Every structure is written in structure tokens, then in C-alpha cells.
Amino acid sequence: MPSHVAVIMDGNGRWAKKRFLPRVAGHVKGVELVREMVRACLERGIQYLTLFAFSSENWRRPQEEVSLLMQLFVKALEQEVEKLDRNGVRLRVVGDLSRFEPRLQALIREADATTQDNTRLDLTIAANYGGRWDIMQAMNRLLANRAPGKEVIEEGDLDPYLSMNYAPEPDLFIRTGGEQRISNFLLWQLAYTELYFTDTLWPDFDTAEFDKAIASYQQRERRFGRTSEQVTGQANA
Ligand code: IPE
Ligand code: IPE
Ligand code: MG
């Protein structure tokens, strides 16, 4: 089993369009699939689930859609946190939260506080998140805290400042909806992640689809630069 799964939940709008429904109907259905995904991770013993819910570029959408997405986010936090807490889920939201309205920011802080002692599943929602933003905020904080005289910055120095410093790098990345791009999701952290793209739209991505992604992951050989023989421990290693 992968320990950390990161997902770009894409295709809500097209799912709705196919049914002659407003785009927001796709987002509403999408929230249901989040519930199913969380349940699946709990059942499979997956420790970290990270979901891209709103990118720093999604503000460019029509104002009405942005506002409906924000309302959905508020509603989901109001309705789901208690149940998540009961199920041992630790919920965090990463991204530049300062742009959200105060009510939403308060709900995010509450969810964080309520669930902080839970350990069964680490659920992270990336909201107003951008991979470049993450690297830059980490770098700026690192520079501000740098010990006097430390001139050279090394890779590992950045880790404590990245917004997902509590999690290992994702093992499996899933993007639904048919596009094969990263769209400014976890750029630093995806360096050695196994990538899985599917045409299935997010509102159709059920547990069976998730198991297909896991099965694909389980067939991969993760070499991290080594040879296959080294990884499998055969002769010539
Ligand atoms: C993903 O679905 C959800 C968000 C970006 C909030 P989309 O809304 O991007 O759906 P498509 O890509 O238009 O189908
Ligand atoms: C990426 O989806 C962001 C989320 C799923 C939250 P988009 O639908 O916004 O991505 P692009 O713009 O098509 O790359
Ligand atoms: Mg999209």
C-alpha cells in the first residue's frame, strides 16, 4: 500500500456539463466522492491523503463559481469535521489561507484544533495552494531564520519550512479528468512520486477506480536512480 496518496480531483465541471447541470452540481457530487475516498483510505490503512481542492490559479474562474466553491468548502467543514474526528482523522488545510474570508479561516483553525490528536489518517486539503508558492514561502522563512554565517542552503534545509513538513513525500499521485499535467500542485514533493492519470472524471472516481490506481502503483518498480538489479537484490547489485 502507498503510505501517502496525493490527488488532483479534476473533471467536476465536465461531469456536470455532460448531464446538462450547472458546474456547481459537479462540485457538490465531488464532495461526496471525497467522503468515499477518505473511507477507502481508512479501510486500506493508508496514512496520508492529500487532496487538491482549489489552486492559487482557480481565482481566475468566474466569480460566481469561486463564490459557490467557497460556500461548499464552508459547508463541508461545518458538516464533516465532527465525523472525521470520530473516525480518527487529522485534518489540515495547506495553502495561502489569508485570502479566504474570516469565517472560512476560523473554521479551518477549528478543524485543525479539534482533530490535532488524531492519528489514523492524515487528511490534507490543499486550498489556495500552489507548488511555487509553497517553495517560495519556505525559502523566505528559511532565509529569515538562517543562522548567521550560513551561506549555502542545502536541499534538506527547506523541508521543515514546506507546508507539508509533517508528511513523507507522496508515493502515488492521481489525477482524474484526463489532463496529464501537475497544474502547480506539490512541485517539490512530487520529485519521485509514481504518477497515475485517468480519464475518469472526479465525480465518477469511486473505490473501484481507486483500487485500479493502487494496483497500477503496486506494479511499478521504484528505483530512485538505482538499477533494477539493485532494487530487487539480484546478482550484479
Ligand atoms: C476540479 O474540477 C475542481 C476544481 C478545480 C475546484 P473542475 O472544475 O476543474 O472540472 P473541469 O476540469 O472543468 O471538468
Ligand atoms: C487543478 O484543476 C486544481 C484542482 C483540481 C483544484 P484545474 O482544472 O484548475 O487545472 P487546469 O487549470 O485545467 O490545469
Ligand atoms: Mg479542471
Side-chain angles (χ1 to χ4, degrees):
M1 276 294 157
S3 147
H4 183 178
V5 179
V7 187
I8 298 188
M9 311 181 288
D10 196 18
N12 294 350
R14 279 163 284 164
W15 182 91
K17 200 174 170 193
K18 273 193 350 200
R19 288 164 178 74
F20 306 101
L21 294 169
R23 291 179 58 85
V24 67
H27 298 314
V28 171
K29 180 73 184 171
V31 175
E32 275 178 41
L33 273 289
V34 169
R35 246 178 251 129
E36 184 165 338
M37 187 80 174
V38 168
R39 203 177 314 124
C41 286
L42 286 167
E43 284 166 9
R44 284 156 188 71
I46 291 168
Q47 183 63 47
Y48 299 90
L49 173 64
T50 303
L51 303 173
F52 204 6
F54 192 86
S55 77
S56 43
E57 289 72 32
N58 285 145
W59 297 106
R60 296 173 186 158
R61 294 194 177 195
Q63 210 245 304
E64 195 199 345
E65 181 170 349
V66 170
S67 147
L68 286 167
L69 280 167
M70 293 302 146
Q71 285 172 38
L72 263 183
F73 198 6
V74 166
K75 205 170 126 195
L77 286 169
E78 285 171 346
Q79 295 181 347
E80 306 292 332
V81 171
E82 194 193 316
K83 189 163 148 225
L84 290 170
D85 186 40
R86 258 188 282 124
N87 283 289
V89 178
R90 170 81 167 98
L91 176 64
R92 293 178 177 92
V93 180
V94 296
D96 181 1
L97 306 184
S98 66
R99 196 161 164 190
F100 293 136
E101 59 167 75
R103 165 95 185 119
L104 182 49
Q105 290 190 39
L107 281 168
I108 290 170
R109 274 195 304 273
E110 264 174 52
D112 198 279
T114 308
T115 64
Q116 64 176 339
D117 295 326
N118 296 339
T119 55
R120 257 184 92 199
L121 170 67
D122 276 89
L123 172 62
T124 302
I125 306 295
N128 194 19
Y129 179 89
R132 289 183 180 168
W133 165 83
D134 197 5
I135 294 168
M136 292 316 291
Q137 67 79 25
M139 188 57 88
N140 282 318
R141 289 199 293 140
L142 167 60
L143 290 175
N145 289 300
R146 181 168 54 157
K150 181 162 166 53
E151 291 295 333
V152 179
I153 295 167
E154 285 150 83
E155 249 179 59
D157 296 338
L158 204 62
D159 294 344
Y161 297 101
L162 289 166
S163 51
M164 292 200 61
N165 59 4
Y166 51 87
E169 289 168 9
D171 301 295
L172 170 61
F173 160 96
I174 298 171
R175 182 173 187 144
T176 63
E179 313 297 348
Q180 305 201 357
R181 52 179 175 249
I182 304 289
S183 299
N184 200 16
F185 194 26
L186 303 158
L187 296 178
W188 181 272
Q189 299 87 338
L190 290 176
Y192 254 110
T193 302
E194 297 298 328
L195 307 179
Y196 179 87
F197 297 95
T198 172
D199 288 338
T200 304
L201 305 172
W202 174 253
D204 293 325
F205 193 82
D206 58 12
T207 304
E209 290 290 328
F210 184 33
D211 282 333
K212 276 194 228 168
I214 294 173
S216 164
Y217 168 81
Q218 286 170 338
Q219 277 161 16
R220 318 261 181 111
E221 183 178 69
R222 304 189 75 189
R223 290 192 285 275
F224 299 100
R226 296 171 205 277
T227 66
S228 181
E229 289 74 16
Q230 284 178 301
V231 174
T232 55
Q234 287 168 10
N236 303 329

